[in-house]
Amino acid sequence: MFTRMSPAQGHITAAPRLTSHLRALSLIAPIQKLEDTKGLLHTQGQSAEHVDLRYLALAAIELLIERMGAGGTASRADLLDYLASLATIQWDSISPDDAATLAEHVFDGLTNARDRRARFKVRLFDPERPGGAPLEFGLLRAEALPDGKVGYRLTQEAIEVHLSLLDHDPLTATQVSEIIVEEFLRRGLYDHAVNAAERTRTNSVRLAEALRLLMAEARRAILKVMWQHELGPKMQEARDLLDVSIAREGVMLSHLNDTAADVTDDTDRRHLARVRTLLLDVNDRHRNLMVIVQTTADDYLLLQADALKLRPPTRLPDLEHEILNPLLKAPVSFLSRSASGIFCALSGALTPLVFDFAAALNAFEPDLADYSEGELVLEAGAPLTPVPLPFDAATIARAETFARATILAAGSIKLGDILARAAEEDADDMSFQRCLFLILEQAIDPRTADIAAEASILEARFDAGFVEGTDVRFTGKPIRRSHAS
C-alpha cells in the first residue's frame, strides 16, 4: 500500500540541509554590507568609490590575528589609524578626513554599531526545523585591559571567516577535510562529522574537475606540453594523495560499520548513515580518479604520437568544375574586389628571379668534353675597332691641362676635390667634367698608356694611392716624358 505525498511534503523531504552554508554566508554578510552602504557616506569627490571597504575589513581581521598571536589586543585608535592609512594607500588623493570617515565606517560595521554594538542576529532556513535556525554572532569583541583601556579581539566567528576565505588547492583541501571527518568520528561528534563529510564530497568534486581541466588543457596543446616536465609530476602527486585518501576512507567506513551497532540514539544513527553515504560517494569518485590518473600517461603519449604522424594528402579541387565555373557565375562586383586574391591563390607563390652570371656564361661556352681533340680549333679573331672617344681633342687637352695644373699646384689632392674645383670653374660644361673624370681614373694605374687609341695620358706620372672610403689621392712628381706623341 502506497501513500500519496503532497508536492510540498515531497519538496521538504528532498530539501538539502544547507544550514552550515547559510551560516558561512551570514558571517560574511556584514563585510559585504560595508561595501554596499559606502555610497551613503558623506565624502568629498566620491572618495568612497575608490576604496574597497571589504579589503579594509579583512585587513582589520588580519591585524587582530597578528596581535592575538602575540597575546595582545588592538585599541579602537590603533584600528582606525591602520585602516585610514590603508585607505590612503588605495587612493592617494583621498583627504585625511575622508580616510578617517571610511575607517570609522568599517569599525562600526564590524562591531555592529547600528544595533548598539550588540551581536548580529539572523534566522537561517533549516528544512528539519519549521521555524528555522537562529544564529547570533559577533566579529569583534571588546575587552577591558588592566590599565583601564579597552582592547578588541576577534571572535570565533571572525576567525572562521578568515579561515574560510583562505585558498587551498583541491588535493590539500580534500586531505584536510577527510582528516577532520576522521577526528569528529573518533570523538563521537557525529553532527559535525556530517558537515565535514559534505565538505569532503564537495572537495572531491572540485578535485575531479581540476584534474579534468588540467588534462583538457594539455590535450589542446598536445604538441607543446611535455609529459615528463609538466603533467607527469602533477599526476604523480595526485596519485600519491589519492592512494592515501582511499586508504583513509576505507578505515573510516570500517569504523562506521563497527560503530553503527553500538549507537542507539536515532539522531546519531541518522548522522552516521549520512556520513557513510557521503564517504562511499567520495570513495567511488576517488577510485575512478585513480584509474584515470593511472591511464593518463599512456593515453596522453598515444595522443601526442598520433598528432605527430604525417597526415595523408587531401584531394585537390577540380579547377574547372569546382572553382572556375562558380567564378564565372559570380557577380562582377565580387570578381573586381577578389580578382587579385583569386589569381594569387590559383597561381601559387612564384620563385624570385635571380640572375646567375656564371650560369649565363656557361650557357654560351662550349663543353670541351663533348668534342675530340681533332675537332677543337682555336682561332684568334680580328681585333675590334677601338671605341671612338665622345670628346674632341680640345676638351681632352683642356682636361689634361686642368688636371696637371691643379695637382701640381696642390702637391697632393683627392679626386673628389679636383672634380669639385672643375664644377666650380664651369658647372654647365658636363662634357669637360666627364672627360676630366675619365682622365683621372686612367691615371690611377701607372701602366695605362692612353685613354683610347688616339688619346695620350698626362705627361706627368702619378702615384696610385688609395685612402679611406673610395676616394683617390693624386700626388704630382717631376715631369717625365714616358709616351710618344
Side-chain angles (χ1 to χ4, degrees):
M1 181 176 180
F2 298 94
T3 302
R4 183 179 297 276
M5 184 178 296
S6 65
Q9 291 176 341
H11 176 70
I12 294 175
T13 303
R17 192 170 185 268
L18 302 176
T19 308
S20 59
H21 302 74
L22 294 175
R23 181 178 181 275
L25 290 177
S26 300
L27 297 181
I28 302 174
I31 298 177
Q32 181 60 42
K33 189 175 181 180
L34 295 173
E35 182 72 12
D36 297 337
T37 59
K38 67 180 182 180
L40 303 177
L41 300 176
H42 299 287
T43 57
Q44 298 177 357
Q46 298 180 346
S47 300
E49 298 298 328
H50 300 277
V51 180
D52 191 343
L53 299 190
R54 296 170 300 182
Y55 173 82
L56 297 184
L58 295 176
I61 294 176
E62 185 75 20
L63 174 65
L64 289 174
I65 287 178
E66 294 181 0
R67 294 290 181 91
M68 293 170 64
T73 60
S75 64
R76 180 177 182 275
D78 293 339
L79 288 171
L80 293 180
D81 292 342
Y82 179 65
L83 296 178
S85 64
L86 292 181
T88 305
I89 293 176
Q90 286 196 52
W91 192 44
D92 54 3
S93 300
I94 191 173
S95 64
D97 294 338
D98 290 344
T101 300
L102 296 178
E104 290 180 359
H105 180 65
V106 172
F107 180 80
D108 292 342
L110 294 177
T111 56
N112 197 16
R114 183 177 181 180
D115 293 336
R116 299 180 180 181
R117 315 289 182 185
R119 293 171 63 84
F120 296 96
K121 297 179 181 180
V122 294
R123 184 167 295 276
L124 310 177
F125 173 76
D126 190 338
E128 298 181 358
R129 304 174 65 175
L135 173 64
E136 293 186 9
F137 67 94
L139 297 178
L140 299 187
R141 177 171 57 87
E143 179 180 320
L145 301 179
D147 57 359
K149 298 181 180 180
V150 177
Y152 286 88
R153 293 177 178 271
L154 293 177
T155 63
Q156 289 294 323
E157 294 84 2
I159 297 176
E160 289 180 19
V161 170
H162 179 75
L163 293 176
S164 64
L165 296 178
L166 295 178
D167 184 22
H168 300 288
D169 63 277
L171 289 172
T172 303
T174 303
Q175 298 294 311
V176 172
S177 60
E178 287 183 349
I179 293 173
I180 294 174
V181 174
E182 188 177 22
E183 181 64 20
F184 282 147
L185 291 177
R186 186 184 65 81
R187 295 168 57 186
L189 301 175
Y190 302 129
D191 54 343
H192 295 287
V194 171
N195 296 331
E198 291 176 348
R199 287 195 296 270
T200 302
R201 182 184 61 177
T202 303
N203 288 327
S204 68
V205 174
R206 180 188 174 198
L207 175 60
E209 183 65 14
L211 292 177
R212 186 190 68 81
L213 291 177
L214 179 64
M215 291 182 289
E217 290 291 337
R219 288 190 177 95
R220 277 196 288 268
I222 194 71
L223 297 180
K224 298 181 181 179
V225 178
M226 298 302 296
W227 176 267
Q228 294 83 353
H229 304 293
E230 300 182 35
L231 283 182
K234 296 180 181 179
M235 289 300 172
Q236 184 61 40
E237 180 185 4
R239 180 176 179 176
D240 296 339
L241 292 179
L242 285 174
D243 278 334
V244 176
S245 293
I246 292 173
R248 184 186 295 113
E249 291 152 10
V251 172
M252 287 190 289
L253 288 172
S254 299
H255 175 73
L256 288 174
N257 293 333
D258 298 338
T259 307
D262 300 332
V263 176
T264 58
D265 185 76
D266 292 339
T267 303
D268 290 342
R269 292 177 65 87
R270 186 169 63 252
H271 289 329
L272 288 177
R274 178 61 177 167
V275 171
R276 185 175 184 277
T277 301
L278 293 172
L279 289 180
L280 285 174
D281 179 71
V282 172
N283 190 257
D284 290 340
R285 185 175 293 104
H286 285 175
R287 289 181 182 275
N288 293 333
L289 284 178
M290 177 61 74
V291 175
I292 294 175
V293 170
Q294 289 175 339
T295 59
T296 297
D298 296 335
D299 296 342
Y300 180 84
L301 295 178
L302 288 176
L303 288 173
Q304 195 172 47
D306 181 69
L308 293 173
K309 291 181 181 178
L310 295 177
R311 301 303 182 201
T314 57
R315 183 186 67 85
L316 296 177
D318 190 330
L319 293 179
E320 182 176 356
H321 296 287
E322 299 180 19
I323 296 179
L324 296 180
N325 287 341
L327 287 177
L328 292 176
K329 300 177 182 179
V332 178
S333 58
F334 169 79
L335 293 177
S336 61
R337 295 192 309 268
S338 309
S340 179
I342 294 172
F343 177 80
C344 294
L346 295 178
S347 61
L350 297 178
T351 304
L353 300 178
V354 179
F355 180 71
D356 191 342
F357 188 74
L361 292 180
N362 292 333
F364 291 98
E365 291 182 353
D367 189 355
L368 300 181
D370 298 336
Y371 299 91
S372 61
E373 294 182 359
E375 295 177 343
L376 292 177
V377 178
L378 299 179
E379 297 181 355
L384 299 176
T385 305
V387 179
L389 287 174
F391 315 110
D392 53 18
T395 302
I396 295 175
R398 179 188 172 194
E400 290 180 347
T401 303
F402 179 83
R404 183 167 50 252
T406 303
I407 295 172
L408 294 178
S412 178
I413 190 171
K414 292 183 179 181
L415 172 62
D417 296 334
I418 299 176
L419 298 177
R421 292 187 183 184
E424 293 177 359
E425 180 176 329
D426 193 352
D428 297 332
D429 193 349
M430 299 304 297
S431 177
F432 164 70
Q433 296 181 29
R434 287 188 289 128
C435 180
L436 175 63
F437 175 76
L438 183 59
I439 291 175
L440 293 174
E441 285 290 329
Q442 291 293 322
I444 293 174
D445 190 352
R447 296 169 298 176
T448 304
D450 49 29
I451 300 175
E454 299 86 1
S456 62
I457 199 171
L458 300 176
E459 294 181 356
R461 286 287 183 169
F462 300 95
D463 289 336
F466 290 87
V467 294
E468 64 274 12
T470 57
D471 208 346
V472 180
R473 180 179 296 278
F474 293 91
T475 303
K477 286 186 176 181
I479 297 177
R480 182 181 60 181
R481 299 287 181 178
S482 59
H483 302 287
S485 302

mmCIF file of all heavy atoms in Angstrom, residues 418-439:
data_model
loop_
_atom_site.group_PDB
_atom_site.id
_atom_site.type_symbol
_atom_site.label_atom_id
_atom_site.label_comp_id
_atom_site.label_asym_id
_atom_site.label_seq_id
_atom_site.Cartn_x
_atom_site.Cartn_y
_atom_site.Cartn_z
ATOM 1 N N ILE A 418 89.370 67.552 -56.912
ATOM 2 C CA ILE A 418 89.642 68.021 -58.285
ATOM 3 C C ILE A 418 88.332 68.213 -59.040
ATOM 4 O O ILE A 418 88.125 69.220 -59.723
ATOM 5 C CB ILE A 418 90.559 67.024 -59.018
ATOM 6 C CG1 ILE A 418 91.901 66.907 -58.283
ATOM 7 C CG2 ILE A 418 90.778 67.454 -60.463
ATOM 8 C CD1 ILE A 418 92.824 65.864 -58.883
ATOM 9 N N LEU A 419 87.430 67.253 -58.930
ATOM 10 C CA LEU A 419 86.150 67.358 -59.616
ATOM 11 C C LEU A 419 85.325 68.510 -59.064
ATOM 12 O O LEU A 419 84.591 69.177 -59.812
ATOM 13 C CB LEU A 419 85.379 66.033 -59.484
ATOM 14 C CG LEU A 419 86.047 64.805 -60.111
ATOM 15 C CD1 LEU A 419 85.218 63.565 -59.839
ATOM 16 C CD2 LEU A 419 86.227 65.003 -61.624
ATOM 17 N N ALA A 420 85.432 68.746 -57.760
ATOM 18 C CA ALA A 420 84.694 69.875 -57.181
ATOM 19 C C ALA A 420 85.198 71.200 -57.725
ATOM 20 O O ALA A 420 84.411 72.110 -58.027
ATOM 21 C CB ALA A 420 84.805 69.832 -55.651
ATOM 22 N N ARG A 421 86.517 71.340 -57.894
ATOM 23 C CA ARG A 421 87.061 72.569 -58.447
ATOM 24 C C ARG A 421 86.660 72.744 -59.911
ATOM 25 O O ARG A 421 86.387 73.859 -60.367
ATOM 26 C CB ARG A 421 88.586 72.567 -58.321
ATOM 27 C CG ARG A 421 89.066 72.652 -56.877
ATOM 28 C CD ARG A 421 90.560 72.829 -56.800
ATOM 29 N NE ARG A 421 91.020 72.828 -55.415
ATOM 30 C CZ ARG A 421 92.286 73.041 -55.058
ATOM 31 N NH1 ARG A 421 93.216 73.265 -56.001
ATOM 32 N NH2 ARG A 421 92.624 73.019 -53.777
ATOM 33 N N ALA A 422 86.604 71.619 -60.645
ATOM 34 C CA ALA A 422 86.173 71.711 -62.032
ATOM 35 C C ALA A 422 84.713 72.150 -62.102
ATOM 36 O O ALA A 422 84.333 72.930 -62.992
ATOM 37 C CB ALA A 422 86.358 70.365 -62.725
ATOM 38 N N ALA A 423 83.876 71.659 -61.191
ATOM 39 C CA ALA A 423 82.471 72.072 -61.182
ATOM 40 C C ALA A 423 82.334 73.547 -60.821
ATOM 41 O O ALA A 423 81.461 74.250 -61.333
ATOM 42 C CB ALA A 423 81.686 71.209 -60.209
ATOM 43 N N GLU A 424 83.182 74.042 -59.927
ATOM 44 C CA GLU A 424 83.138 75.467 -59.579
ATOM 45 C C GLU A 424 83.573 76.349 -60.752
ATOM 46 O O GLU A 424 83.035 77.440 -60.953
ATOM 47 C CB GLU A 424 84.034 75.718 -58.377
ATOM 48 C CG GLU A 424 83.540 75.072 -57.084
ATOM 49 C CD GLU A 424 84.520 75.302 -55.948
ATOM 50 O OE1 GLU A 424 85.568 75.937 -56.216
ATOM 51 O OE2 GLU A 424 84.247 74.842 -54.819
ATOM 52 N N GLU A 425 84.553 75.858 -61.533
ATOM 53 C CA GLU A 425 85.053 76.666 -62.639
ATOM 54 C C GLU A 425 84.041 76.758 -63.783
ATOM 55 O O GLU A 425 83.833 77.823 -64.341
ATOM 56 C CB GLU A 425 86.376 76.068 -63.152
ATOM 57 C CG GLU A 425 86.968 76.861 -64.315
ATOM 58 C CD GLU A 425 88.320 76.311 -64.732
ATOM 59 O OE1 GLU A 425 89.049 75.775 -63.851
ATOM 60 O OE2 GLU A 425 88.645 76.403 -65.922
ATOM 61 N N ASP A 426 83.418 75.633 -64.122
ATOM 62 C CA ASP A 426 82.442 75.633 -65.218
ATOM 63 C C ASP A 426 81.406 74.565 -64.923
ATOM 64 O O ASP A 426 81.561 73.409 -65.301
ATOM 65 C CB ASP A 426 83.145 75.370 -66.561
ATOM 66 C CG ASP A 426 82.214 75.683 -67.741
ATOM 67 O OD1 ASP A 426 81.014 75.946 -67.485
ATOM 68 O OD2 ASP A 426 82.680 75.643 -68.888
ATOM 69 N N ALA A 427 80.365 74.954 -64.194
ATOM 70 C CA ALA A 427 79.353 73.981 -63.770
ATOM 71 C C ALA A 427 78.484 73.508 -64.923
ATOM 72 O O ALA A 427 77.891 72.429 -64.848
ATOM 73 C CB ALA A 427 78.480 74.581 -62.662
ATOM 74 N N ASP A 428 78.379 74.262 -65.997
ATOM 75 C CA ASP A 428 77.482 73.911 -67.096
ATOM 76 C C ASP A 428 78.114 72.967 -68.102
ATOM 77 O O ASP A 428 77.407 72.300 -68.866
ATOM 78 C CB ASP A 428 76.999 75.172 -67.814
ATOM 79 C CG ASP A 428 76.182 76.066 -66.892
ATOM 80 O OD1 ASP A 428 75.560 75.513 -65.947
ATOM 81 O OD2 ASP A 428 76.152 77.284 -67.099
ATOM 82 N N ASP A 429 79.437 72.895 -68.139
ATOM 83 C CA ASP A 429 80.115 72.074 -69.142
ATOM 84 C C ASP A 429 80.271 70.657 -68.584
ATOM 85 O O ASP A 429 81.292 70.302 -67.991
ATOM 86 C CB ASP A 429 81.476 72.679 -69.482
ATOM 87 C CG ASP A 429 82.081 72.063 -70.740
ATOM 88 O OD1 ASP A 429 81.528 71.034 -71.201
ATOM 89 O OD2 ASP A 429 83.097 72.579 -71.231
ATOM 90 N N MET A 430 79.259 69.815 -68.766
ATOM 91 C CA MET A 430 79.296 68.456 -68.255
ATOM 92 C C MET A 430 80.253 67.585 -69.049
ATOM 93 O O MET A 430 80.834 66.640 -68.513
ATOM 94 C CB MET A 430 77.888 67.856 -68.279
ATOM 95 C CG MET A 430 76.884 68.614 -67.420
ATOM 96 S SD MET A 430 77.420 68.744 -65.706
ATOM 97 C CE MET A 430 77.444 67.026 -65.245
ATOM 98 N N SER A 431 80.443 67.879 -70.333
ATOM 99 C CA SER A 431 81.365 67.093 -71.152
ATOM 100 C C SER A 431 82.784 67.243 -70.637
ATOM 101 O O SER A 431 83.530 66.260 -70.549
ATOM 102 C CB SER A 431 81.269 67.537 -72.620
ATOM 103 O OG SER A 431 82.203 66.829 -73.415
ATOM 104 N N PHE A 432 83.161 68.449 -70.253
ATOM 105 C CA PHE A 432 84.506 68.698 -69.715
ATOM 106 C C PHE A 432 84.698 67.947 -68.397
ATOM 107 O O PHE A 432 85.739 67.329 -68.158
ATOM 108 C CB PHE A 432 84.715 70.196 -69.523
ATOM 109 C CG PHE A 432 85.872 70.537 -68.637
ATOM 110 C CD1 PHE A 432 87.186 70.328 -69.061
ATOM 111 C CD2 PHE A 432 85.665 71.048 -67.363
ATOM 112 C CE1 PHE A 432 88.241 70.632 -68.221
ATOM 113 C CE2 PHE A 432 86.720 71.361 -66.551
ATOM 114 C CZ PHE A 432 88.012 71.160 -66.970
ATOM 115 N N GLN A 433 83.675 67.939 -67.549
ATOM 116 C CA GLN A 433 83.800 67.271 -66.250
ATOM 117 C C GLN A 433 83.892 65.750 -66.416
ATOM 118 O O GLN A 433 84.673 65.092 -65.728
ATOM 119 C CB GLN A 433 82.599 67.625 -65.366
ATOM 120 C CG GLN A 433 82.529 69.116 -65.011
ATOM 121 C CD GLN A 433 81.342 69.429 -64.129
ATOM 122 O OE1 GLN A 433 80.901 68.582 -63.366
ATOM 123 N NE2 GLN A 433 80.832 70.651 -64.233
ATOM 124 N N ARG A 434 83.115 65.178 -67.361
ATOM 125 C CA ARG A 434 83.201 63.746 -67.584
ATOM 126 C C ARG A 434 84.549 63.359 -68.189
ATOM 127 O O ARG A 434 85.116 62.320 -67.856
ATOM 128 C CB ARG A 434 82.064 63.294 -68.486
ATOM 129 C CG ARG A 434 80.719 63.304 -67.763
ATOM 130 C CD ARG A 434 79.631 62.682 -68.591
ATOM 131 N NE ARG A 434 79.265 63.535 -69.718
ATOM 132 C CZ ARG A 434 79.202 63.156 -70.986
ATOM 133 N NH1 ARG A 434 79.483 61.923 -71.303
ATOM 134 N NH2 ARG A 434 78.876 63.988 -71.942
ATOM 135 N N CYS A 435 85.079 64.164 -69.066
ATOM 136 C CA CYS A 435 86.395 63.897 -69.659
ATOM 137 C C CYS A 435 87.491 63.980 -68.601
ATOM 138 O O CYS A 435 88.388 63.135 -68.560
ATOM 139 C CB CYS A 435 86.669 64.894 -70.789
ATOM 140 S SG CYS A 435 88.270 64.654 -71.586
ATOM 141 N N LEU A 436 87.373 64.959 -67.710
ATOM 142 C CA LEU A 436 88.351 65.089 -66.638
ATOM 143 C C LEU A 436 88.304 63.871 -65.720
ATOM 144 O O LEU A 436 89.349 63.335 -65.314
ATOM 145 C CB LEU A 436 88.054 66.368 -65.841
ATOM 146 C CG LEU A 436 88.917 66.601 -64.598
ATOM 147 C CD1 LEU A 436 90.390 66.757 -64.992
ATOM 148 C CD2 LEU A 436 88.434 67.827 -63.835
ATOM 149 N N PHE A 437 87.113 63.415 -65.404
ATOM 150 C CA PHE A 437 86.969 62.234 -64.532
ATOM 151 C C PHE A 437 87.597 61.002 -65.195
ATOM 152 O O PHE A 437 88.289 60.218 -64.545
ATOM 153 C CB PHE A 437 85.490 61.992 -64.215
ATOM 154 C CG PHE A 437 85.251 60.741 -63.439
ATOM 155 C CD1 PHE A 437 85.539 60.688 -62.074
ATOM 156 C CD2 PHE A 437 84.745 59.612 -64.059
ATOM 157 C CE1 PHE A 437 85.328 59.526 -61.358
ATOM 158 C CE2 PHE A 437 84.529 58.452 -63.330
ATOM 159 C CZ PHE A 437 84.825 58.406 -61.975
ATOM 160 N N LEU A 438 87.368 60.818 -66.519
ATOM 161 C CA LEU A 438 87.924 59.668 -67.218
ATOM 162 C C LEU A 438 89.447 59.729 -67.248
ATOM 163 O O LEU A 438 90.121 58.718 -67.031
ATOM 164 C CB LEU A 438 87.353 59.606 -68.641
ATOM 165 C CG LEU A 438 87.788 58.410 -69.487
ATOM 166 C CD1 LEU A 438 87.400 57.116 -68.819
ATOM 167 C CD2 LEU A 438 87.179 58.503 -70.880
ATOM 168 N N ILE A 439 90.018 60.890 -67.466
ATOM 169 C CA ILE A 439 91.482 61.024 -67.486
ATOM 170 C C ILE A 439 92.067 60.719 -66.113
ATOM 171 O O ILE A 439 93.083 60.020 -65.993
ATOM 172 C CB ILE A 439 91.867 62.444 -67.955
ATOM 173 C CG1 ILE A 439 91.525 62.604 -69.443
ATOM 174 C CG2 ILE A 439 93.345 62.730 -67.714
ATOM 175 C CD1 ILE A 439 91.759 64.002 -69.975
#
